Amino acid sequence: QVQLVESGGGLVQAGGSLRLSCAASGRSGTIYAMGWFRQAPGKEREFVAGISWNGGNTYYGDAVKGRFTFSRDNAKNTVYLQMNSLKPEDTAVYYCAAYSPTLPFDHYSDHTFYDIWGQGTQVTVSS
């Protein structure tokens, strides 16, 4: 069973940057398409970004386009979310997730198509 572990969250001032990492461990030889989601208190889970299994395609939520960059290093079984120009409204718990390997990556923004989730990492942006 694959496990996902996020890291890199923290407290940053508005306008600053953070890089989140999500490392996959386990015996599976599957390379998953991956996604980042976030959830702020009292709000629904929100799609942040998605990346295809080989990194050839990336997708972003409207709220983060132009500020966040999703990348991956399959040799290290790790994906990264570079977050620049952070805003207070980016404050949330950020989760990485592995997309169902048996389905096309058409529903990258729908959290119900993701099978495996990390525990989340808190990102707090102060004004």
Side-chain angles (χ1 to χ4, degrees):
Q1 178 69 14
V2 173
Q3 293 182 327
L4 303 176
V5 179
E6 302 98 333
S7 60
L11 173 64
V12 64
Q13 288 189 331
S17 298
L18 283 175
R19 189 176 81 153
L20 304 184
S21 299
C22 173
S25 63
R27 293 186 175 182
S28 172
T30 302
I31 301 176
Y32 293 83
M34 299 290 293
W36 283 98
F37 291 78
R38 66 187 183 186
Q39 190 163 19
K43 295 188 176 181
E44 294 189 352
R45 195 172 316 187
E46 178 187 15
F47 169 73
V48 175
I51 192 167
S52 59
W53 71 272
N54 62 355
N57 292 292
T58 53
Y59 308 93
Y60 298 94
D62 289 341
V64 307
K65 278 180 184 176
R67 299 188 298 122
F68 290 11
T69 303
F70 198 177
S71 62
R72 68 188 301 157
D73 184 342
N74 287 343
K76 296 182 178 180
N77 294 321
T78 302
V79 298
Y80 306 96
L81 186 67
Q82 178 66 43
M83 306 186 296
N84 298 330
S85 302
L86 283 162
K87 305 174 181 180
E89 50 264 44
D90 293 318
T91 295
V93 177
Y94 284 70
Y95 299 91
C96 72
Y99 194 85
S100 174
T102 61
L103 299 174
F105 198 41
D106 293 343
H107 303 283
Y108 50 83
S109 64
D110 186 341
H111 67 89
T112 64
F113 284 80
Y114 290 80
D115 291 344
I116 304 168
W117 291 80
Q119 83 289 350
T121 186
Q122 176 70 46
V123 172
T124 303
V125 185
S126 63
S127 57

